[in-house]
Amino acid sequence: MGIAEFFQHLMNGLTLGGIYALIALGYTMVYGILKFINFAHGDILMAGAYVGLFVFDGLRGDAPLGTWTLIAFFLAMLISMGFSAVLGMTIERVAYKPLRGANRLAPLLSAIGVSFILSNSAAWAFGTHSRKFNYPFDNTPVHIGEVVITPHQILILSVSLIMMIILKLFVDKTRMGKAMRATSLDQGTAMLMGINVNRVISMTFAIGSALAAVGGILIALDFKVYATMGTMTGLKAFVAAVVGGIGNISGAMFGGILLGLLETFGVAIFGIPTGLKDTIAFGVLILILLIKPEGLFGKVEKEKV
């Protein structure tokens, strides 16, 4: 593999990993506080992508590519984030909150049920065919030496990096972020200290769902929008969260980037057929569970007796 080819695969892997990282953050934030996996997260991504598509098409109209299409795109992204945040909070309030004191299997089954409801509702409302999300800019590739970079890749890297930095600062520096960390450590003690745990949990779902919407729109520009688009992407983002150490925000970011790089270089170096690319993620998951079950950045939790 030459240097130019290496940097080409590196760029492709980083853009793919940036999307995985954004989506993985939703899984890891919910698990960090409630200790369960929100398997409806990928379908919230799908719902956000549909909203972004319809809003963007409505705002853009017949306008040619230019300043207005870029403004329309980012407005559509913001509206999609808001919609997904409300959807995530509603799902938590209706399907998860009543089951907090139940067996840990109950909310997991509820999440799977919500996932099927969302995907089937989208298929019924919008059909099973895919819809194209038009680029808001000219996506003509830029050549840097022998390396080819598209404006879409630059957009993914920029948006992903900005979102992850904002989330990190929010969790580390704000009162709500500190409340989230306290609730993650011990909900009972957090309540005794005057923290509104219900509000913290709702905010966690809102943030995770909003990030999923961003990931969904970024994916849709390449792979179109359809009712089951969040299934495989959501599962691989979940793998990224587990690899990094589920419940650890920095771990989810690292796990997403790592998984994107492994998928890209796995196909390039080992000649894995593109159709089998998805098996890399689940192979990595099995390997991590065997070697370091708590993930690369996770901590072993000692069960209190």
Side-chain angles (χ1 to χ4, degrees):
M1 181 184 292
I3 295 177
E5 189 179 358
F6 170 81
F7 278 106
Q8 183 67 68
H9 292 311
L10 179 65
M11 186 67 184
N12 295 340
L14 287 174
T15 53
L16 182 61
I19 293 175
Y20 287 156
L22 278 180
I23 304 166
L25 287 168
Y27 284 106
T28 209
M29 289 175 70
V30 169
Y31 184 86
I33 290 180
L34 292 178
K35 299 297 183 280
F36 93 97
I37 307 301
N38 178 21
F39 278 118
H41 192 61
D43 298 282
I44 294 174
L45 172 154
M46 172 270 299
Y50 267 113
V51 171
L53 169 67
F54 294 140
V55 172
F56 176 64
D57 285 348
L59 290 175
R60 178 189 178 182
D62 297 325
L65 295 179
T67 304
W68 171 243
T69 55
L70 277 173
I71 293 172
F73 175 75
F74 285 110
L75 282 174
M77 183 178 285
L78 288 173
I79 292 170
S80 174
M81 290 173 69
F83 172 85
S84 296
V86 172
L87 178 62
M89 289 190 293
T90 303
I91 291 172
E92 187 278 326
R93 181 67 60 87
V94 174
Y96 303 149
K97 186 178 179 181
L99 299 174
R100 281 185 203 165
N103 183 287
R104 290 182 67 175
L105 188 61
L108 180 64
L109 294 174
S110 181
I112 294 172
V114 171
S115 173
F116 277 107
I117 290 171
L118 289 176
S119 60
N120 281 277
S121 297
W124 172 77
F126 310 123
T128 55
H129 61 282
S130 60
R131 297 170 184 255
K132 181 173 176 56
F133 201 128
N134 294 307
Y135 287 108
F137 44 73
D138 181 4
N139 199 43
T140 302
V142 177
H143 294 263
I144 302 177
E146 296 181 28
V147 179
V148 179
I149 302 174
T150 65
H152 182 213
Q153 289 178 311
I154 297 172
L155 174 71
I156 290 174
L157 287 175
S158 302
V159 171
S160 299
L161 185 62
I162 290 169
M163 291 291 179
M164 287 188 278
I165 290 173
I166 290 174
L167 177 64
K168 188 66 177 171
L169 290 174
F170 175 81
V171 172
D172 288 346
K173 303 296 184 182
T174 66
R175 288 174 60 88
M176 178 56 72
K178 293 175 182 177
M180 285 179 175
R181 285 184 283 140
T183 304
S184 175
L185 290 172
D186 191 318
Q187 281 193 31
T189 304
M191 291 177 69
L192 292 174
M193 296 297 291
I195 294 173
N196 188 334
V197 171
N198 288 327
R199 185 182 171 207
V200 168
I201 292 172
S202 291
M203 182 62 69
T204 302
F205 272 87
I207 293 172
S209 299
L211 292 175
V214 175
I217 289 175
L218 294 177
I219 292 171
L221 288 171
D222 262 348
F223 298 105
K224 300 186 179 181
V225 183
Y226 51 97
T228 57
M229 66 177 290
T231 303
M232 184 55 68
T233 305
L235 285 174
K236 289 199 281 187
F238 167 63
V239 170
V242 173
V243 168
I246 194 156
N248 186 301
I249 289 177
S250 299
M253 296 177 187
F254 180 82
I257 299 296
L258 178 63
L259 188 61
L261 291 172
L262 287 175
E263 276 196 13
T264 304
F265 280 99
V267 172
I269 296 175
F270 301 109
I272 297 173
T274 306
L276 295 176
K277 186 178 70 171
D278 293 339
T279 62
I280 295 174
F282 300 104
V284 171
L285 174 64
I286 294 170
L287 192 63
I288 288 292
L289 291 176
L290 290 173
I291 298 173
K292 203 172 188 295
E294 67 275 13
L296 299 176
F297 287 76
K299 296 179 181 179
V300 179
E301 292 186 7
K302 295 181 180 179
E303 191 171 339
K304 298 178 182 179
V305 180

